[in-house]
Amino acid sequence: MKILKDILYGVPLKQVSGSTEMEVDSICFDSRKAEPSGLFVAVRGTLSDGHDFIEKAVGLGATAIVCETLPVKLQIGVSYFLVDDSAKSLGIIAANYFEHPSSKLKLVGVTGTNGKTTVATLLFQLFRDLGYKCGLLSTVQNQINDLIIASTHTTPDPIALNSLLQDMVDSGCDYCFMEVSSHAVAQHRISGLQFTGGVFTNLTHDHLDFHQTFDAYLKAKKAFFDTLESNSFALTNIDDKNGIIMLQNSRAHKKTYGLKNIADFKAKIIENHFSGLLLNIDGEEVWFKMVGSFNAYNLLAVYSTAMLLEQDRARVLISLSRLSGAEGRFDYTVSPSGIIGIVDYAHTPDAVQNVLHTIQDIRTGTEQVITVIGCGGDRDKSKRPVMAQVACDWSNKVILTSDNPRSEPPEQIIHDMEAGVMPQNKKKAISIVDRKEAIRTACHLAKPGDIILVAGKGHEKYQETAGVKHPFDDKQILNELLNLMS
């Protein structure tokens, strides 16, 4: 039970109607979860407006309302608080309600188009290996030490987020490593949190269905670094053309990492094989289990973060050399007949090119590269033809198929992708709507030594069609088919 004035501390209030001295038992922004003596925050969402459900929340017992527009009729016994931005206020309210758990551990946020999950997961694994109690908030899963909690969003809503952070504090966690999505920044889900540091991986074409323009997408990423305090650090990939922008006007302690340009933390790729990477990191040669130049950046980001968190350099490099990264990220297997199968979450043009470029760097030149790829429904349509073009340009054969069609007809999504297949690539591309059949066809086409890339879904264990999620696991299906055909 909390006192309302304490929960509202730091929230810029434009108008107050009622008492701030009442006790509050719960907070919510979903009117269906409103409870007696509870606080309801009316947030304007993309699909619905919480202001339309204020009366419902009051009917369920809510006695305090935070909103941007006051109802025409104010109920007796209910306190109303007018604010400019309900979403931003919700973040502050949630942090107050859970007594600022982010200030009781070291919270590091990782943002960027690609690499967020791998970097956050590697940091979690590394610091666990170094002997710390840790929490993880990621696209694949949330985790508190050994306890795994299902993840529904890359970055949870402010109430769920602060609740998870409080559970981490209660479990004795020293650190939490979390992905910070551009949606989360734009929707103020991280408002009220205190970050020890922020890490930027890269920025490429993605989420323009939500942000509308690349500039808005960039500004959402940058806004995270703009909010960091002077006692935190801001670590950026200096090789990315937008990396330096993230540091502009940030009050945080600024540091850089890179493979190409002058940086505070530097690495060089010495060898790159399917079995792993040999890197020179700050003058030390280390063999890592992970593959590809994109993972060289991920590993360097993790190493740099660990150094900024004042960890022992030798112990960090030894531990990192044992780790294998996040599920569904360049997750590969070799069949009994010698066909290499790779499952990767790549779902942007840049990510697809990174994976295929990595394969190109490692292959001897005689193997076929067969790529199975689709695009998600109800998402940025402009990247569909680009992803198909990238796949065709970097593969010997391409099978265009379904990803998560969601509410869209999969045939229409594939048709949008087909527009990116240039005339010179027409003979190497075929379209198969059924994803399992597409993977089966790739296995039939492959000969010993060939490489099959199944891109787009990675760690996901479902396929969403017509709004319904059906069990579907790319890695399991690919492995079963490869073993069956060997």
Side-chain angles (χ1 to χ4, degrees), residues 261-306:
N261 295 298
I262 296 173
D264 296 302
F265 302 99
K266 187 82 173 169
K268 181 181 180 181
I269 298 174
I270 301 172
E271 294 181 23
N272 184 12
H273 308 285
F274 277 120
S275 55
L277 278 167
L278 179 61
L279 299 181
N280 184 307
I281 294 187
D282 280 349
E284 189 78 26
E285 288 192 8
V286 184
W287 180 264
F288 299 95
K289 292 181 179 180
M290 300 172 68
V291 180
S293 59
F294 62 96
N295 273 325
Y297 279 103
N298 293 334
L299 287 161
L300 182 57
V302 173
Y303 166 80
S304 306
T305 302

Side-chain angles (χ1 to χ4, degrees), residues 364-424:
T364 62
T366 58
E367 321 92 325
Q368 286 191 111
V369 177
I370 304 168
T371 298
V372 179
I373 189 168
C375 290
D378 304 331
R379 298 293 186 269
D380 182 4
K381 295 182 179 181
S382 65
K383 67 183 182 183
R384 293 173 183 173
V386 184
M387 286 176 63
Q389 181 178 347
V390 169
C392 287
D393 287 345
W394 289 79
S395 309
N396 299 100
K397 294 176 182 175
V398 175
I399 304 172
L400 306 179
T401 189
S402 302
D403 189 289
N404 290 317
R406 300 184 176 91
S407 70
E408 285 193 72
E411 295 85 357
Q412 180 58 52
I413 298 172
I414 294 172
H415 180 70
D416 291 344
M417 295 182 73
E418 288 171 341
V421 180
M422 298 295 101
Q424 67 271 23

Side-chain angles (χ1 to χ4, degrees), residues 41 97 113 123 127 215 266 281 350 385 439 476:
V41 183
Y97 184 82
T113 306
L123 281 166
F127 277 74
D215 186 57
K266 187 82 173 169
I281 294 187
D350 184 68
I439 298 173
Q476 179 183 338

